[in-house]
Amino acid sequence: MSCLFHHWSAKLRAHLAPDTQQSAEVQDSLVKSLYASPASLMIGALAGGALSFVVAYHAGRAEITTIATLIFLVAVSRSISAVYFLRQLAHHEGPTQQAWGLAYELGAWGYAALLGLLAFSTLILTGDASLHILSVCLVAAYSGGIAGRNAGRVHIAVGQTCFALLPTSLGLCIAGGLGYWVLATMLFLMIFAMAEITRTTHRIVVEALQGNYEKSQLATKFERLARFDSLTGVENRMAMQMRLRELFDKRRSDQDSMAVFWMDLDRFKEINDSLGHIIGDQLLCTVAARLSHALDGRGHVARFGGDEFILICPGTDRAVAGEIAHDVMAEFGHDFDVSGYHLTVTASMGIAVAPEDGCDSEELLQHADMALYQAKRAGRNRHAHFDWAMKERQNRTYELEMGLRSAMANGELLLHYQPIFDTVTGKIAICEALMRWDHPTMGRISPAEFIPVAESCSLIEPITAWALEQACRDAMQWEEHVRVAVNISPALIKSDGLPRAVIAALMGSGLKAKRLELEVTESIFLEDSGRTSLILSELQRIGLRLALDDFGTGYSSLGYLRDYAFDTLKVDQSFMRSVGEEGRDRAIAQSVAYLAHSLDVETVAEGIETEEQLRYARELGFSNVQGFVLSRPMPAADLLTMMADMKREKSNVVTLMQNRRRA
Ligand code: C2E
Ligand code: MG
Ligand code: MG
């Protein structure tokens, strides 16, 4: 028996110890479960109070009446506190769960003790068996009910059964008689039975709550993963799109403004490639933090992907958007310290503001992206506001891109040739191939417009291959000393495709390599990784001539003339334009011609439009001249006629001019 008692008391102690394993949320739910059903508390209070008064009435003893009154008062105050707790819970305010747990505990124990005391007093102060039965039944029924009801807090339930049953057992023992003694023993044992039931119920409740809690934690985690960018912690693309849509829907009127900024780091790939992805990732995190700092609560930051960020600022008009852009760009004014590296990073930004720049989230984003593209094109490290002209340009570019894909196959592309004359002999020395596109609906389109489009959509390679092939084939019909010049896009110089296309064109036509001249501009040296010079020297090795086109518009670095053995230097038309008027231009042009002569490099004065310019070009010592005053670009057949005429009439550039003057 004593062994059994030790076993149970140890269990009871274990139950009474606070359960530190449970999470705060589960503890909270357990306290809430105590107050979960104020109705059961009220029914218990009503039953307990009514029966106590019945016992007190029949017993006719002041002590019992006092206890019954106290029972009633405690019951009422507990019912009220339960309602109050639930109301506070609904308003998310009020004392902590520990305070409520303690209040419940004291109330419960007080109530149980009073019931126990009522039974005890009835048993020892009255001799009425029916009152004994009533009071003992009240306590037994209460204890039975409490085991389940208060399973959320094991020690409260166990305390309640002890406080209620122990005095009752004692009272039964004192009242005496075999039946009472047996009942006393049963009630005593009931404490342990009820404790076991409470413990089991508690375990089941806790497991269920814990399961629920873990499920909700998991759901929260997944929701976070779905909404936030795992690297930088700011919202991700999906959340950004949802937010933008919601903000649009929430706008009170169509006239409410909202700004969207699309930002992209300049040359982030280079940082990633040279310093590694870990540094790149850390940089992105720092950028995200700086963006949030710059916004300072004026909007939301999201990472669109890669090194692109989107900022959304509700209620922001164009003027305020400009200020925000200024603040954001200022963040890039100082270096980024990442793992010991001081990185100078710049960014470009496109801005679109509703309602003027777009009337839904998709359109606004698209326009901010378009503005970003403009900022990049304008030289990076700047911001650009969207304007509708950008959209028109883009639409036209798109149309050109679509058209270009089929232009070659449909025979819409053709080559015109502009002769370049030797200033000494006056004869045609070179013919420059200039591409033309006769679009079926848009008419003739300038190469200055469609060549950049071809470059941006990787069509420049097949187009150039075609031009090389066609030019070489046409040149085979000219006199042996006339060369053909083909313009080559800077982007193509780095590609392996160029030498292949050149060789195919030469082999296909049978043209000698020395009759083919490739015209390149200075921009090929801008992002030179060493590959450019390799390809250029390879092309020269097979006998091709290289011409530096538009000299004078770019950096005009003499370094290029030193490092690369160009065969021809074409001085840009803008340069030649004022040759006749201003002394400085004349001096520079003369020096270039002189320098080229010393380096044994041929020169071409481009864009000669007047006889005066022509005279000057010859005086300055240019070896060749090209321009409208001499000849406009013309179809291959017209060129052949011109060549034949010149040969027949033994004419040269001087007679050509005289003929023209006469005409
Ligand atoms: P570019 O290579 O500098 O060609 C000379 C441009 O100046 C040509 O314009 C020509 O028509 C024009 N021009 C010639 N003489 C005069 C003149 O006296 N006054 C004026 N105002 N202009 C003159 P075009 O044909 O419109 O070509 C423009 C540019 O397009 C070319 O400049 C070249 O960079 C590019 N391009 C033309 N064809 C091709 C090609 O097949 N491939 C590549 N990649 N680019 C090409
Ligand atoms: Mg050219
Ligand atoms: Mg040129």
Side-chain angles (χ1 to χ4, degrees):
M1 185 72 186
S2 82
C3 201
L4 191 71
F5 178 78
H6 277 298
H7 172 72
W8 280 102
S9 63
K11 273 194 162 189
L12 196 65
R13 271 201 310 277
H15 292 319
L16 293 176
D19 192 346
T20 50
Q21 296 291 304
Q22 289 163 7
S23 64
E25 280 76 7
V26 172
Q27 298 258 12
D28 200 39
S29 302
L30 290 174
V31 171
K32 282 178 196 156
S33 77
L34 298 177
Y35 288 97
S37 146
S40 72
L41 266 183
M42 285 179 198
I43 292 168
L46 196 71
L51 286 175
S52 308
F53 278 120
V54 169
V55 172
Y57 174 74
H58 285 290
R61 307 266 322 200
E63 304 91 323
I64 297 177
T65 308
T66 310
I67 296 167
T69 310
L70 285 173
I71 286 173
F72 177 73
L73 289 176
V74 172
V76 168
S77 60
R78 291 188 71 212
S79 302
I80 292 170
S81 72
V83 172
Y84 185 64
F85 172 83
L86 290 176
R87 195 177 296 167
Q88 285 207 324
L89 200 67
H91 291 94
H92 306 285
E93 56 184 30
T96 58
Q97 53 135 309
Q98 283 102 323
W100 280 107
L102 192 68
Y104 188 91
E105 190 172 321
L106 291 176
W109 283 349
Y111 187 73
L114 285 170
L115 286 185
L117 199 61
L118 182 89
F120 178 80
S121 316
T122 310
L123 286 164
I124 60 166
L125 295 179
T126 71
D128 187 336
S130 64
L131 292 185
H132 292 177
I133 291 171
L134 200 58
S135 60
V136 171
C137 278
L138 175 60
V139 169
Y142 172 77
S143 303
I146 227 65
R149 194 197 180 283
N150 288 354
R153 275 283 178 272
V154 175
H155 69 283
I156 295 183
V158 172
Q160 282 175 289
T161 44
C162 288
F163 284 127
L165 291 174
L166 282 176
T168 311
S169 284
L170 188 66
L172 284 166
C173 288
I174 296 170
L178 182 63
Y180 278 23
W181 288 336
V182 171
L183 195 56
T185 312
M186 290 300 121
L187 288 189
F188 182 69
L189 291 177
M190 190 178 165
I191 294 174
F192 302 102
M194 287 300 121
E196 185 57 25
I197 289 170
T198 305
R199 201 183 65 87
T200 308
T201 314
H202 178 80
R203 202 190 63 235
I204 293 165
V205 169
V206 168
E207 277 171 7
L209 285 174
Q210 194 74 34
N212 268 354
Y213 171 67
E214 278 164 12
K215 238 189 266 170
S216 79
Q217 286 286 93
L218 213 61
T220 314
K221 196 172 153 189
F222 278 127
E223 200 193 312
R224 232 198 113 67
L225 275 178
R227 281 192 68 84
F228 292 91
D229 174 45
S230 54
L231 175 67
T232 58
V234 296
E235 282 187 337
N236 61 20
R237 177 183 178 158
M238 188 199 76
M240 178 277 298
Q241 278 166 329
M242 270 164 52
R243 181 184 286 283
L244 193 58
R245 234 172 280 140
E246 276 166 22
L247 285 171
F248 255 99
D249 293 345
K250 264 197 257 161
R251 286 195 315 162
R252 282 184 308 266
S253 106
D254 285 349
Q255 293 312 305
D256 282 2
S257 54
M258 171 148 56
V260 170
F261 304 75
W262 197 314
M263 226 203 67
D264 173 299
L265 302 185
D266 299 330
R267 303 184 199 284
F268 176 69
K269 191 178 174 317
E270 285 169 27
I271 294 175
N272 235 357
D273 289 349
S274 56
L275 302 178
H277 286 263
I278 295 175
I279 301 292
D281 284 356
Q282 286 173 358
L283 173 66
L284 289 175
C285 291
T286 320
V287 167
R290 283 210 191 166
L291 291 179
S292 304
H293 174 257
L295 276 192
D296 196 21
R298 289 176 289 181
H300 312 271
V301 181
R303 181 169 168 228
F304 191 78
D307 61 334
E308 293 182 38
F309 291 87
I310 307 268
L311 313 178
I312 302 172
C313 299
T316 301
D317 61 16
R318 217 176 156 86
V320 180
E323 285 166 24
I324 293 177
H326 185 266
D327 293 349
V328 170
M329 296 306 273
E331 289 291 335
F332 292 86
H334 38 276
D335 284 358
F336 286 77
D337 291 329
V338 178
S339 293
Y341 293 97
H342 300 292
L343 304 176
T344 305
V345 181
T346 60
S348 304
M349 183 190 269
I351 309 166
V353 181
E356 49 282 38
D357 298 341
C359 53
D360 63 45
S361 58
E362 299 297 320
E363 194 178 35
L364 208 58
L365 266 180
Q366 197 194 0
H367 291 173
D369 187 24
M370 220 176 266
L372 168 65
Y373 178 72
Q374 287 300 321
K376 289 263 178 205
R377 268 178 62 124
R380 305 186 171 115
N381 190 21
R382 67 196 64 216
H383 65 270
H385 284 272
F386 170 79
D387 74 68
W388 287 93
M390 279 180 196
K391 179 98 172 172
E392 274 163 35
R393 273 200 301 275
Q394 205 218 23
N395 286 348
R396 182 162 167 99
T397 304
Y398 180 73
E399 248 179 274
L400 292 182
E401 194 181 314
M402 289 297 112
L404 260 186
R405 293 190 188 278
S406 52
M408 228 169 23
N410 297 346
E412 293 165 18
L413 293 182
L414 46 139
L415 288 183
H416 278 195
Y417 294 94
Q418 188 180 27
I420 298 171
F421 297 89
D422 185 316
T423 45
V424 176
T425 63
K427 298 221 178 308
I428 297 176
I430 315 161
C431 289
E432 180 177 4
L434 293 163
M435 206 178 288
R436 300 288 176 260
W437 179 12
D438 284 332
H439 192 279
T441 54
M442 289 194 267
R444 178 155 288 183
I445 300 163
S446 157
E449 189 180 2
F450 73 80
I451 292 290
V453 176
E455 284 172 346
S456 68
C457 65
S458 352
L459 282 171
I460 193 65
E461 201 167 319
I463 283 180
T464 307
W466 169 82
L468 281 165
E469 218 171 277
Q470 184 67 39
C472 289
R473 226 178 303 131
D474 288 341
M476 283 299 284
Q477 301 181 37
W478 310 337
E479 281 184 88
E480 185 67 21
H481 68 273
V482 180
R483 305 194 298 263
V484 62
V486 177
N487 290 284
I488 303 295
S489 287
L492 216 57
I493 284 292
K494 294 188 187 69
S495 100
D496 293 332
L498 182 64
R500 228 181 299 133
V502 166
I503 291 167
L506 291 174
M507 303 235 317
S509 61
L511 189 80
K512 287 189 183 123
K514 63 174 185 177
R515 289 186 63 200
L516 177 59
E517 190 158 294
L518 301 186
E519 290 192 10
V520 294
T521 55
E522 282 175 274
S523 51
I524 57 166
F525 304 115
L526 281 186
E527 285 176 16
D528 185 13
S529 53
R531 207 167 158 66
T532 305
S533 55
L534 196 79
I535 292 193
L536 288 184
S537 53
E538 207 152 279
L539 288 171
Q540 274 180 319
R541 214 156 38 87
I542 54 173
L544 247 73
R545 293 174 61 92
L546 287 179
L548 186 58
D549 203 356
D550 303 340
F551 189 76
T553 52
Y555 294 91
S556 312
S557 165
L558 297 182
Y560 302 141
L561 301 183
R562 186 192 59 206
D563 298 342
Y564 299 92
F566 284 103
D567 301 286
T568 308
L569 197 64
K570 297 187 76 178
V571 177
D572 188 67
Q573 48 183 272
S574 63
F575 215 95
M576 300 306 299
R577 198 137 299 151
S578 50
V579 146
E581 301 138 29
E582 265 191 54
R584 290 173 78 86
D585 277 351
R586 183 193 162 100
I588 294 170
Q590 192 164 22
S591 310
V592 171
Y594 181 74
L595 181 76
H597 183 74
S598 322
L599 292 171
D600 199 19
V601 172
E602 274 191 34
T603 43
V604 176
E606 288 190 87
I608 301 293
E609 288 182 343
T610 64
E611 287 188 36
E612 196 189 7
Q613 285 173 356
L614 178 63
R615 204 178 54 245
Y616 269 107
R618 295 172 80 176
E619 270 175 29
L620 295 178
F622 279 91
S623 47
N624 300 289
V625 283
Q626 175 185 18
F628 289 170
V629 75
L630 304 161
S631 169
R632 285 187 175 259
M634 63 189 96
D638 294 2
L639 178 70
L640 280 179
T641 313
M642 181 187 178
M643 284 173 164
D645 290 350
M646 282 180 77
K647 192 173 178 190
R648 196 176 48 247
E649 293 164 16
K650 294 204 172 40
S651 63
N652 58 24
V653 72
V654 180
T655 48
L656 203 75
M657 298 289 303
Q658 284 165 351
N659 291 346
R660 185 160 304 166
R661 234 174 283 138
R662 251 180 260 132

